[in-house]
Amino acid sequence: MTVTTDPGDHLAERARLLADPELPARSRRTALARLADGWLTGLHRTAGAPAGTALVAVGGYGRGELSPRSDLDVLLLHDGPLDPGVAERIWYPVWDSGIALDHAVRTPAEARKVAAEDLKAALGLLDARHLAGDARLTAELRARVLADWRATAPARLPELRALGRARAERHGELSFLLEPDLKEARGGLRDLAALDAIAASWLADAPRDGLDAAARTLADVRDALHLSTGRATDRLALQDHDQVAEQLGVPDADTLLRQVYAAARTVVYASDVTWRAVDRVLARRGRPFRAARRAAPAERRPLAEGVVEQDGEAVLAQTARPATDPVLPLRAAAAAAQAGLPLAHATVRRLAAETGPLPVPWPAEARDRLVGLLGAGEACLPVWEALDAEGLIVRLLPDWERVRCRPQRNAVHRWTVDRHLIETAVRAAALTRRTTRPDLLLVAALLHDLGKGLPGDHSAAGEAIVRRLAARMGFDRPDTDTLALLVRHHLTLVDTATRRDPDDPATADLIARAVGDRTHLELLHALTEADATATGPAAWSAWRASLVDQLVARTAARLAGTRPPTTDAPTAEQERLAVEAARTAGPALALRAELAADGTESVGIELTLAVPDRPGLLGTVAGLLALHRLTVRKAGLRELDPAGAGPVLLLGWTVAAEYGDVPETARLRADLRRALDGSLDVGRRLAERDAAAPRRPGIRTPPPVVTVAPGTASRSATVLEVRAHDAPGLLHRIGRALDTAGARVRTAHVSTLGAEAVDAFYLTTEAGRPLAPERAQQVAQAVRDALKTH
């Protein structure tokens, strides 16, 4: 340690350390701490500090490591009167240098009192390290603070746990966030400090395997973030991923996130194991002393062959022989999950160390135990995480390694690929009563996204993987074919329901050809719901559920050879509106809540509109709805001729208010009249509103894609698909382009996934026939041009 008082020398050496590309991150943190030690020691010597004072590093600085933009956490201890100028002569040079300083001046008694009242202060003092002055003073404070901590640990550790839970509520779980806070999120650097505090209490200690490496990974990433941004930030923002990856020398941003996620999972697992140990110790300490002395050894209750419950955990029985029982890991996991218990850490480690590989194909018991584990629902999660932490999942399913900790850079997804898979299985467990093959539902849920990370369509890639895995797992040929079908088509139901006309016979035919029979349809229906609900709130809603339910009902009727339910005949209300529109030569409309299939939940507002036939109607009405900040979920159009009074277009819209309430019917009707007679220029008003909106930094989005679906999509219309980033007025621009191109929209299906719009338009000629191929391509190009110019 070099002692100096010259801030210029300190800053120059600090700059050299930060700019040295050959210096390992951990060595740089140590060097920065030692550099600060020397500077503060020099300042203490020249500040005129009397005997009976000591300068002490606390918190992260007390642990002897400093990140590039870390604060200096320092305590000036004194055991007698102290001139305030002494502290100022130490602090001011640090402030003048621009380095952040967190400081305090206290007597040992004051420091202990603050620690007793403030948990964060207590945690900082647990890492107290002497810098300068009276070393005896520092040693005595440290000894007393540690003694206080150990004496009060039964009361303070629950407080520490509550603090961690509140932090996790605010900042989320580091292992699954695209923009994680490396320090505050669950599994971050704060949790590592909490584990050290538990160890200092002498009540429990964390499993140390991999924990130091995880701590080093998180600290290294934080250092790289500080260096690449030049700021004291702990949030790994999206725009910083590439720079931080380059700073660390990792191949790309996804590799960076996978390393961060893996480290965080290690911390979370160690935390879970440690807190369970704390709970057991505190429970025993809660018993009266005499009762504790008389207590018999913990009861061991049998759960399965070779597995028992002890102290609230599943452990191996004394007779268990992992070396000769390859099914034991799955048997123990299933037994633990079905009993709602965690697997003991020592048990998982022993299983990983001693159990041999399963024979290929797996014995029937192994498949049954896997299904039992997955069928436990929520109780499966901690058990699965324990197996994953010790490498047992990859040993069972080698393809798991490719998706483990793999981020999903999509606003719809809330989990990494591997966590999404197990979350899907958890949700599928609640749907097993809806199918005659719950085992295949659960296994398909677990495996359906294994194709991610491979080139091409992940559903097609996953089908090939699952065929191989199913054979490895011992499924027979028919069951293997079923699993492959479910993986290949796990997105087919929801995609078709939200993008195709449910009343077009070709839609039910498409699903019927894909599934082949009623059993497959039931399985695919349940898998679709489990997959979507495990993805995130944007991927599933009452509206989407109602669309899927309707499509499944029509397909079931098609498979049974009966006539599917349709909505072709106009309702009495639709006929009334059509007659009114024909009589008044103006718009007639009605609003009502649209309910889900079970009638219990509103899935939007149904707007039925009748207007005398005229060109440009779709674009005009869509623009007016956008002006009123109504989001279109579904749109349909048909032509009626009420009592021979002339053609009337009947438009059915399912809409939802962007925010606030749906406007009154009278106001909508009045604005629609103005839009139709030209006194309200919808396009101009939308452009003015867009121009007046405050400009915020945007994100780069892929260009819109407009395609003509194959002819098999519908026998009676041409299906035009539009995929674009959702924005106000998008449907207006599409509708105006279709109107200008002279294409008649028979029906439209609008779907929004997160911030992405996926829309399908069924187009016909004026004679009601599908467009000629060349004409269809011209219309598609017109829509592309309209979206490109915005």
Side-chain angles (χ1 to χ4, degrees), residues 544-606:
R544 281 195 174 83
S546 67
L547 292 180
V548 170
D549 289 347
Q550 292 168 23
L551 178 57
V552 168
R554 286 174 168 83
T555 305
R558 169 72 176 80
L559 291 169
T562 59
R563 181 178 178 81
T566 66
T567 57
D568 284 340
T571 64
E573 183 179 53
Q574 289 172 338
E575 288 186 338
R576 179 186 64 78
L577 292 172
V579 169
E580 181 183 342
R583 180 178 57 81
T584 62
L589 59 91
L591 289 173
R592 70 177 180 86
E594 183 181 27
L595 301 178
D598 60 5
T600 60
E601 183 178 3
S602 173
V603 297
I605 301 298
E606 188 176 274

Side-chain angles (χ1 to χ4, degrees), residues 299-322:
E299 182 184 355
R300 297 168 68 89
R301 180 172 65 88
L303 296 175
E305 180 65 32
V307 188
V308 298
E309 175 188 354
Q310 179 178 320
D311 270 340
E313 295 181 320
V315 302
L316 293 185
Q318 294 176 352
T319 56
R321 298 292 181 265

Side-chain angles (χ1 to χ4, degrees), residues 391-405:
L392 284 164
I393 298 299
V394 172
R395 189 185 301 179
L396 291 168
L397 305 170
D399 289 278
W400 199 260
E401 180 63 37
R402 185 178 54 260
V403 298
R404 186 176 189 271
C405 297

Side-chain angles (χ1 to χ4, degrees), residues 647-777:
V648 170
L649 290 183
L650 191 69
L651 294 93
W653 306 76
T654 300
V655 300
E658 238 176 85
Y659 44 79
D661 297 326
V662 175
E664 295 178 355
T665 304
R667 184 181 173 191
L668 274 177
R669 183 186 294 110
D671 284 352
L672 184 57
R673 285 184 181 276
R674 294 172 55 214
L676 294 175
D677 66 22
S679 60
L680 174 61
D681 188 335
V682 172
R684 182 174 62 81
R685 287 284 301 276
L686 283 172
E688 290 173 353
R689 190 176 74 183
D690 185 54
R695 296 298 170 190
R696 298 181 177 89
I699 58 172
R700 294 177 61 87
T701 60
V705 174
V706 183
T707 57
V708 178
T712 55
S714 173
R715 294 192 291 270
S716 57
T718 297
V719 180
L720 187 75
E721 288 191 340
V722 179
R723 304 185 183 196
H725 191 70
D726 194 27
L730 174 67
L731 189 57
H732 165 66
R733 296 194 299 278
I734 296 171
R736 190 170 56 182
L738 293 173
D739 291 334
T740 302
R744 179 177 179 273
V745 181
R746 189 184 75 190
T747 188
H749 298 273
V750 176
S751 178
T752 304
L753 294 169
E756 300 303 310
V758 183
D759 303 339
F761 302 87
Y762 281 66
L763 308 178
T764 67
T765 64
E766 289 298 326
R769 300 177 182 276
L771 305 182
E774 183 178 349
R775 176 69 180 135
Q777 292 300 331

Side-chain angles (χ1 to χ4, degrees), residues 301-353:
R301 180 172 65 88
L303 296 175
E305 180 65 32
V307 188
V308 298
E309 175 188 354
Q310 179 178 320
D311 270 340
E313 295 181 320
V315 302
L316 293 185
Q318 294 176 352
T319 56
R321 298 292 181 265
T324 58
D325 189 355
V327 181
L328 186 56
L330 284 172
R331 188 186 309 123
Q338 289 291 334
L341 298 171
L343 265 178
H345 174 60
T347 294
V348 184
R349 291 201 63 193
R350 185 180 172 195
L351 289 170

Side-chain angles (χ1 to χ4, degrees), residues 75-91:
L75 170 65
L76 180 58
L77 274 180
H78 63 99
D79 62 0
L82 182 68
D83 178 2
V86 172
E88 292 175 356
R89 286 189 289 274
I90 299 173
W91 308 147

